[in-house]
């Protein structure tokens, strides 16, 4: 709860928006971590709790959505565009309690996976990683370069968990297997933290002369391939990407799906250094979920906003006009394009 409150107040201060002008709120009132106790204010925060805690008395629109942080931004944009509110505060907070395990009950669709050992994410995505390696010809030595790049970006992020620890190839290859070929360091790191944003209309931002990161387009996994067309951009127009790295190899999949690389060739693109600090397409400039830690995409969205605003400090990429943010695995993803100028 304290992290959520701090993030919300920081976002209001940075945006220059007084609390009593907020008339909309969006959050994600759930914690999908296996160790979650579902305690409001303990391992997540609901809209009910945040509204009361912050004393938001002038609200005309409130929503807790499911999924990832981009869903919050898209929902807030729809609320503003439809006239339900004018200024939205979005907050996402997660506590990682450690330990815990999924329920042994195989309910719903889990009946087709859990009894066969495919319940935890590492097992489910190991099958996909194995397919990628076999079809692309890449080896785990190449996958290490995704993790290594994440650690390199994390060194410029003062709140990253792995900001001061490199990972050698030898350490990576010797790490315990979670579900072959997914090893310990291919998995993101659950952490405790929070992030927040303030959204107003493009017209209001321009009228008031506020620096802004404009939500140029958004999409979900059903129409992800069209995100750049919807934004009126091409892959070459994107200056920096924040791509979900819940498991390391996912970066390959999205570099290919979104048009930067041909199928099964992204490993070469990463190996050539394009996604590292100083590369021509820096990816996960804050360290990603592999370097900073996993907040279910809130870190990715926060970093995208910061890069477009030019507010990312020592990790700022020069002259960022457009940032693509993609959060979530291939079958439940949410995407957004953030731009310095309105379309």
């Amino acid at each position: 709860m304290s992290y959520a409150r701090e993030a919300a107040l920081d976002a209001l201060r940075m945006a220059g928006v007084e609390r009593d002008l907020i008339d909309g709120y969006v959050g994600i009132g759930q914690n999908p971590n296996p160790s979650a106790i579902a305690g409001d204010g303990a391992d997540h925060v609901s809209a009910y709790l945040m509204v009361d805690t912050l004393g938001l008395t002038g609200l005309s629109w409130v929503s807790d959505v499911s999924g990832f942080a981009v869903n919050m931004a898209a929902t807030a944009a729809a609320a503003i565009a439809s006239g339900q509110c004018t200024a939205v505060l979005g907050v996402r907070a997660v506590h990682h309690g450690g330990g815990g395990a999924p329920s042994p009950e195989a309910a719903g669709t889990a009946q087709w996976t859990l009894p066969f050992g495919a319940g935890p994410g590492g097992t489910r995505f190991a099958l996909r990683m194995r397919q990628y390696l076999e079809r692309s010809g890449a080896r785990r030595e190449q996958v290490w370069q995704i993790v290594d790049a994440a650690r390199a970006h994390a060194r410029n992020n003062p709140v990253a968990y792995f900001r001061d620890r490199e990972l050698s190839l030898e350490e990576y290859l010797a790490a315990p297997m979670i579900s072959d070929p997914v090893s310990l360091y291919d998995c993101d790191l659950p952490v405790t933290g929070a992030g927040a944003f303030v959204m107003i209309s493009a017209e209001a931002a321009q009228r008031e002369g506020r620096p802004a990161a404009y939500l140029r387009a958004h999409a979900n996994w059903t129409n992800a391939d069209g995100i750049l067309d919807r934004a009126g951009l091409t892959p070459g127009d994107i200056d920096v990407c924040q791509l979900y790295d819940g498991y390391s190899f996912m970066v390959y999949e999205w570099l290919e799906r979104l048009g930067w690389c041909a199928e099964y060739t992204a490993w070469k693109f990463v190996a050539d250094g394009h996604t590292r600090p100083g590369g021509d397409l820096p990816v996960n400039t804050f360290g990603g979920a592999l370097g900073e830690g996993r907040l279910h995409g809130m870190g990715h969205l926060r970093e995208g906003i910061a890069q477009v605003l030019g507010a990312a400090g020592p990790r700022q990429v020069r002259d960022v006009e457009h940032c693509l943010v993609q959060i979530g695995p291939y079958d439940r993803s949410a995407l957004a394009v953030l731009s310095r100028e309105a379309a």
Side-chain angles (χ1 to χ4, degrees):
M1 185 64 238
S2 62
Y3 285 122
R5 183 177 184 277
E6 181 180 349
L9 294 177
D10 280 349
L12 290 166
R13 176 182 54 79
M14 293 175 67
V17 175
E18 296 296 328
R19 196 183 323 190
D20 58 4
L21 295 179
I22 295 294
D23 57 358
Y25 176 87
V26 65
I28 300 178
Q30 59 180 343
N31 183 351
N33 287 326
S35 58
I37 61 173
D40 198 1
D43 59 3
H44 69 276
V45 292
S46 71
Y48 304 106
L49 187 58
M50 285 301 297
V51 169
D52 287 344
T53 298
L54 294 174
L56 301 177
T57 59
L59 297 178
S60 59
W61 176 84
V62 176
S63 179
D64 265 339
V65 300
S66 62
F68 300 98
V70 165
N71 300 83
M72 295 164 54
T75 305
I80 292 174
S82 62
Q84 298 182 72
C85 54
T86 60
V88 177
L89 173 66
V91 181
R92 176 58 165 145
V94 182
H95 171 69
H96 175 62
S103 168
E105 300 297 326
T109 57
Q111 66 183 298
W112 311 116
T113 56
L114 191 58
F116 306 98
T123 304
R124 182 161 73 102
F125 291 109
L127 299 173
R128 198 165 179 92
M129 182 173 172
R130 172 62 65 195
Q131 173 180 281
Y132 187 91
L133 294 178
E134 292 189 358
R135 293 186 178 182
S136 68
R139 301 187 306 275
R140 291 188 61 236
E141 285 84 349
Q142 279 82 48
V143 182
W144 164 77
Q145 292 168 330
I146 297 175
V147 185
D148 185 52
R151 297 288 183 97
H153 283 296
R155 285 195 285 275
N156 293 317
N157 179 358
V159 300
Y161 187 89
F162 286 124
R163 64 186 175 277
D164 57 1
R165 184 183 168 196
E166 297 184 17
L167 179 71
S168 70
L169 175 60
E170 291 72 25
E171 287 179 294
Y172 171 80
L173 293 175
M177 278 292 170
I178 303 301
S179 184
D180 192 6
V182 172
S183 75
L184 178 66
Y185 294 121
D186 291 306
C187 303
D188 60 16
L189 180 73
V191 294
T192 295
F197 64 84
V198 174
M199 181 181 286
I200 60 177
S201 70
E203 294 77 13
Q206 292 165 342
R207 183 174 61 249
E208 299 172 19
R210 297 180 185 275
Y214 291 89
L215 180 61
R216 191 180 182 104
H218 58 82
N220 58 43
W221 74 95
T222 66
N223 57 359
D225 306 82
I227 181 69
L228 292 177
D229 287 341
R230 192 170 295 107
L233 301 172
T234 67
D237 294 319
I238 301 298
D239 302 297
V240 61
C241 281
Q242 315 301 332
L243 300 179
Y244 193 67
D245 53 342
Y247 295 93
S248 56
F249 77 99
M250 290 176 171
V251 172
Y252 290 154
E253 292 192 320
W254 286 100
L255 287 171
E256 294 170 5
R257 183 170 178 180
L258 295 173
W260 282 282
C261 308
E263 189 175 32
Y264 297 123
T265 66
W267 65 273
K268 299 177 182 177
F269 185 81
V270 172
D272 288 340
H274 295 286
T275 65
R276 297 181 66 86
D280 53 7
L281 185 70
V283 171
N284 294 339
T285 47
F286 65 113
L290 294 171
E292 181 187 76
R294 182 186 75 200
L295 287 176
H296 299 287
M298 192 65 214
H300 295 75
L301 180 62
R302 181 210 66 226
E303 181 70 7
I305 295 170
Q307 286 289 339
V308 171
L309 287 173
R315 62 187 184 276
Q316 180 65 48
V317 176
R318 181 179 298 178
D319 299 326
V320 172
E321 294 284 346
H322 308 289
C323 175
L324 186 140
V325 180
Q326 176 273 318
I327 305 172
Y330 60 95
D331 56 352
R332 59 192 68 181
S333 190
L335 305 90
V337 173
L338 305 173
S339 298
R340 185 184 298 176
E341 303 291 339

